[in-house]
Amino acid sequence: MRFMPLSQSISTVSPVSGALDTMDDAAVRELAKELLAQAAEHAKRVSGDAQELQLRQAKIDALTHEIRLLRRMRFGAKTEAMDSTQVKLFEEANAEDLGAAEQRLKALVPGLNTPPANKSRPARQALPAHLARTEIHHEPTDTTCKCGEPMKRIGEDISERLDYVPGVFSVQRHIRGVWACQCCQCMRQQAMPAQIIEAGVPTANLLAQVLIAKYDDHLPLYRQCEIYARAGVDIALSTLADWVGAAGVALAPIAQALKAQLLQSAVLHADESPVTVLGHKGKKHRGYIWAYASGEHEAHQAVVFQIKDSRSGLHAREFLRHEPDRPYLDTGQRAPDLVSRRPWSGHLVVDAFAGYSALFEPADHAGMTCVGCWVHLRRNFFELHAAAKSTLARQALDSIGELYAIEREIREQGLDIAGTTRMRQERAKPLLQALHAWLLAQRANITDNTPTAKAIDYATKRWASMVRYADDGRLPLDNNRIENQIRPWAVGRRNWLFAGSFAAAARAADIMTLIQSAKMNGIDPMAYLRDVLTRLPTHLNSRIAELLPTHWRPIPFAVPQ
């Protein structure tokens, strides 16, 4: 039932108020009920609107405070304790955080222009005149006025965007004709195509280039500034940082959707690696990159990275939805979640880190099964042999080598899951049984707490998880799959020094998630980001799955004429 506003309903009744004298008691009561119902509905709407406005204002206030804090850190930070490289990285990360916060604020308050932070912030300069120009015309499809008269072109608006293809800068000149009707003074003009940074100069090509250079080629923004300057294009560090911050905000929902899809996998790999976080006074903090990847035989091939402040197993439980989400460290807001809170179940491939142990307690986490890593088991015997030329370690290494030889045959023959299971049961299981019996027999003759005893105990105490792969062709022999995915963080470790909060590191984790997942699906990450950044401004949230690296298909792009 649709109710009119209370004031309208009262005014509608008032002209016939004199008829009340002729109404019986039942009719008066019915009229009163209707008016009370309308009043209650109106009050409910007003209350809901007030709560929504209050929540919106709280978000605006929080972001405004964050922007002020970031600006104060940027222009008032004490950098005496930092070397020159750390100062540049601090300024870069702080500017990215500021750009991201401003982008979120603009999303809440469309059309808002944030005040300039400081007079030292560079003003936008005209794009270099020596760059090649490509003209892109935007004209109305219909130039006939509503009155029926043809409109005449009376002028044009021109805006320029900086474009980039590998190794070459150019300028796109967007020319929008202004059409007017001389009869009725009506004017018409085609709107500019939407972009990630409204009224900004970078095209999606250039944004993708900056992101790939920073997060895949490990080039900090200050180095990119130097490279672009040699090409004749001067772009301020703060400008590049603003672009990265805005792009990170736009891409974050895709990374969150990919996490939701990853948790549909029956087999997952998990690992973690330390990363340095640089505070605004030069103090270094240790954070951890947590990585989760789908198994080799899963329908969707993806990896998701998260930055956390510790190595606590609580973070893995949160990711797998066995613990409530904690607030973000930097904003106090809860992480967005696109699927239900149902705990994940399946096979989790991990090393022997104690933080994972609680995940496999049957009383609390039924349905999650541990799969051990033979690389970590082998490493103990390798180090023992390298240090003391132990014959026992050499024999253990030879036995493990036979297991890996079987896996090579499986790959060379291209066996499916069923074929892999059969070969492992026929050939690997007898080797595993013999190795287990031999380890137990050797352990009985070895003194406790010696390196040899520790190497054997590591294997025998985890034996059930180590041999689980032999009966299931979906499961791997080791955790190398996730270690290969996390390696780019180690390669660029000197460039991963983040300022102040964990916001810059979280942004890197989201973008690296998309880049590495694109690679896992055989997609050029440059082509992927270029296409996604082009489509995102007008893409429906309900169809975000189309932009995941696991589903993405490029749309042919034709430059409008």
Side-chain angles (χ1 to χ4, degrees):
M1 182 176 181
R2 182 178 179 273
F3 295 100
M4 65 183 71
L6 181 60
S7 58
Q8 182 181 344
S9 66
I10 292 175
S11 63
T12 302
V13 175
S14 58
V16 295
S17 58
L20 289 174
D21 295 336
T22 63
M23 297 174 66
D24 57 22
D25 292 345
V28 171
R29 284 195 296 271
E30 188 63 28
L31 177 61
K33 287 181 181 179
E34 183 178 350
L35 291 174
L36 287 172
Q38 292 180 6
E41 180 69 17
H42 181 71
K44 183 178 179 181
R45 276 202 308 271
V46 170
S47 176
D49 291 343
Q51 291 178 2
E52 183 177 348
L53 287 173
Q54 186 178 8
L55 178 60
R56 183 185 182 87
Q57 188 59 47
K59 292 180 179 179
I60 292 172
D61 292 343
L63 283 171
T64 303
H65 175 73
E66 181 180 352
I67 289 171
R68 290 197 189 103
L69 179 62
L70 287 168
R71 286 174 175 169
R72 187 162 59 248
M73 288 172 58
R74 179 179 182 181
F75 298 109
K78 296 180 179 179
T79 57
E80 294 87 348
M82 305 182 195
D83 60 33
S84 59
T85 300
Q86 290 176 338
V87 170
K88 291 177 181 177
L89 292 170
F90 160 72
E91 292 174 348
E92 175 179 315
N94 178 268
E96 289 177 17
D97 292 348
L98 183 58
E102 290 176 347
Q103 185 77 359
R104 294 198 300 270
L105 184 58
K106 288 177 182 178
L108 286 172
V109 189
L112 176 69
N113 290 319
T114 52
N118 189 288
K119 292 182 179 180
S120 64
R121 189 162 187 168
R124 179 185 297 179
Q125 302 295 320
L127 296 178
H130 70 274
L131 295 180
R133 257 69 175 171
T134 300
E135 292 190 352
I136 302 173
H137 292 267
H138 306 274
E139 305 292 351
T141 55
D142 183 7
T143 56
T144 300
C145 184
K146 291 184 290 185
C147 69
E149 292 293 323
M151 305 177 80
K152 293 185 177 181
R153 199 174 192 274
I154 63 171
E156 62 187 20
D157 291 332
I158 299 177
S159 58
E160 293 190 333
R161 294 180 180 173
L162 187 60
D163 194 23
Y164 183 87
V165 295
V168 180
F169 279 101
S170 63
V171 176
Q172 291 182 354
R173 299 185 79 235
H174 291 262
I175 303 172
R176 298 186 298 139
V178 180
W179 294 74
C181 176
Q182 293 180 333
C183 176
C184 61
Q185 305 302 313
C186 178
M187 298 181 66
R188 187 172 298 168
Q189 187 178 39
Q190 185 73 7
M192 279 287 291
Q195 57 180 9
I196 293 294
I197 304 174
E198 287 301 328
V201 298
T203 64
N205 286 345
L206 182 53
L207 281 179
Q209 164 62 27
V210 172
L211 295 180
I212 290 294
K214 178 176 174 66
Y215 296 110
D216 198 27
D217 299 332
H218 315 298
L219 286 174
L221 296 184
Y222 76 87
R223 292 182 189 166
Q224 293 190 51
C225 288
E226 296 169 356
I227 293 171
Y228 300 152
R230 290 197 297 270
V233 179
D234 290 316
I235 307 177
L237 174 65
S238 60
T239 300
L240 284 181
D242 287 343
W243 297 353
V244 171
V249 171
L251 293 171
I254 304 179
Q256 285 296 321
L258 190 63
K259 170 191 171 182
Q261 186 183 76
L262 183 73
L263 290 175
Q264 298 173 15
S265 303
V267 178
L268 288 180
H269 296 252
D271 197 13
E272 75 293 327
S273 180
V275 62
T276 301
V277 180
L278 181 63
H280 71 280
K281 292 185 178 181
K283 184 178 180 181
K284 295 180 181 179
H285 306 277
R286 168 158 287 195
Y288 283 85
I289 288 295
W290 290 74
Y292 307 87
S294 54
E296 181 180 359
H297 298 286
E298 294 300 311
H300 299 124
Q301 298 296 299
V303 60
V304 172
F305 300 109
Q306 290 191 327
I307 180 71
K308 298 295 180 180
D309 61 341
S310 74
R311 205 184 178 198
S312 168
L314 173 64
H315 302 307
R317 294 198 294 273
E318 286 177 352
F319 184 90
L320 299 170
R321 298 197 173 89
H322 286 277
E323 293 286 348
D325 285 336
R326 293 191 302 167
Y328 276 156
L329 294 172
D330 57 328
T331 65
Q333 298 176 351
R334 291 194 177 278
D337 204 346
L338 303 183
V339 296
S340 67
R341 292 292 311 168
R342 181 171 59 85
W344 178 81
S345 61
H347 289 82
L348 185 65
V349 187
V350 294
D351 57 28
F353 169 49
Y356 298 116
S357 300
L359 290 171
F360 308 110
E361 295 295 332
D364 298 325
H365 308 296
M368 196 182 307
T369 305
C370 177
V371 180
C373 174
W374 278 86
V375 164
H376 286 80
L377 186 153
R378 180 185 182 279
R379 186 173 299 155
N380 293 325
F381 289 105
F382 176 84
E383 292 174 352
L384 183 63
H385 181 265
K389 303 300 180 184
S390 166
T391 55
L392 182 150
R394 180 70 266 171
Q395 187 170 344
L397 290 173
D398 290 342
S399 297
I400 296 171
E402 293 182 58
L403 298 177
Y404 274 93
I406 294 172
E407 296 301 305
R408 282 194 296 273
E409 288 187 43
I410 290 172
R411 288 193 298 273
E412 291 169 357
Q413 295 180 28
L415 297 182
D416 59 12
I417 294 175
T420 298
T421 302
R422 282 195 300 272
M423 180 173 283
R424 287 174 175 176
Q425 289 177 335
E426 292 171 1
R427 296 180 55 187
K429 287 193 77 171
L431 293 175
L432 290 167
Q433 292 168 356
L435 177 59
H436 189 226
W438 177 77
L439 287 172
L440 292 176
Q442 296 298 317
R443 180 64 179 87
N445 302 318
I446 296 174
T447 305
D448 292 344
N449 296 321
T450 61
T452 303
K454 291 178 180 179
I456 294 176
D457 290 344
Y458 181 99
T460 56
K461 290 179 179 179
R462 297 167 177 82
W463 196 254
S465 68
M466 303 305 302
V467 300
R468 197 161 275 133
Y469 85 98
D471 288 316
D472 191 335
R474 301 172 305 160
L475 305 180
L477 185 64
D478 54 43
N479 207 20
N480 276 353
R481 180 175 175 82
I482 191 64
E483 293 188 5
N484 290 337
Q485 294 303 321
I486 211 170
R487 186 168 290 120
W489 292 89
V491 174
R493 197 178 299 277
R494 281 183 58 83
N495 299 327
W496 303 114
L497 297 175
F498 304 102
S501 72
F502 277 66
R507 180 167 50 253
D510 284 344
I511 296 173
M512 288 282 286
T513 289
L514 300 180
I515 289 174
Q516 291 302 114
S517 294
K519 292 180 179 180
M520 290 179 73
N521 288 274
I523 298 170
D524 173 14
M526 178 69 177
Y528 169 74
L529 286 180
R530 181 171 59 236
D531 181 75
V532 167
L533 290 170
T534 300
R535 293 160 60 179
L536 256 180
T538 57
H539 200 80
L540 297 177
N541 288 336
S542 59
R543 297 171 54 188
I544 197 170
E546 296 174 3
L547 302 183
L548 299 182
T550 52
H551 289 160
W552 176 77
R553 294 293 181 273
I555 294 179
F557 175 72
V559 176
Q561 300 299 323

